[in-house]
Amino acid sequence: MAKRFPTLSDEWCNFLTCIILHMLLPLLPLFLEYWFRNGTPAETTYAITAAMYAITIGLSSESTTMLGLCILICIVFSALFGVVCTETTHPSHITTASSASIICIFTIHVLERYNKHVVDCNPFWIFKKAGS
């Protein structure tokens, strides 16, 4: 009789699904612009992505500290987005600051989601059967 291939536990499946759908998918416009432009996305794209990523991750976090930090980051990068859109000269290092912000938020939230899905065994999505 053939043996089954080992599979990931439900906890790890939930964690990886969370990373892909919840944390990487919102960055798709940044990745696509990088691909279509054959290089670095525009500063406006970095700024608005950092602002929207911060607020969406902050609102989904269970940490009030993370929420507060993400609201602050959202305000800063929303303002920078406005500056970049209206000024001919831009503040330096918007791309670097946006990337660093996204990476920090991503890293902190990955650790939070690891605890939630792998350690505490909370599902990413709860699907109900029809008629339940």
Side-chain angles (χ1 to χ4, degrees):
M1 182 182 293
K3 291 187 176 185
R4 296 178 62 88
F5 286 105
T7 59
L8 291 173
S9 67
D10 287 343
E11 292 81 16
W12 275 97
C13 286
N14 283 313
F15 177 61
L16 294 174
T17 301
C18 176
I19 289 174
I20 293 167
L21 296 179
H22 175 70
M23 298 177 67
L24 291 176
L25 194 60
L27 298 175
L28 191 59
L30 199 60
F31 296 133
L32 289 176
E33 186 172 340
Y34 179 85
W35 183 26
F36 290 137
R37 290 184 68 180
N38 294 320
T40 306
E43 289 178 323
T44 52
T45 305
Y46 272 104
I48 197 65
T49 300
M52 294 296 95
Y53 193 73
I55 198 63
T56 56
I57 296 297
L59 288 171
S60 71
S61 176
E62 294 178 358
S63 166
T64 54
T65 304
M66 182 71 161
L67 173 61
L69 177 65
C70 286
I71 289 172
L72 180 64
I73 291 170
C74 178
I75 291 168
V76 168
F77 283 104
S78 293
L80 284 174
F81 174 73
V83 168
V84 171
C85 286
T86 58
E87 300 293 325
T88 55
T89 58
H90 304 148
S92 61
H93 307 298
I94 289 176
T95 300
T96 304
S98 299
S99 298
S101 168
I102 290 168
I103 290 168
C104 285
I105 291 167
F106 184 90
T107 303
I108 292 168
H109 204 61
V110 159
L111 297 174
E112 182 180 336
R113 289 300 178 139
Y114 174 84
N115 287 338
K116 182 175 183 169
H117 298 302
V118 177
V119 176
D120 297 336
C121 301
N122 290 329
F124 179 62
W125 271 327
I126 299 174
F127 291 107
K128 292 187 177 187
K129 294 179 183 177
S132 304

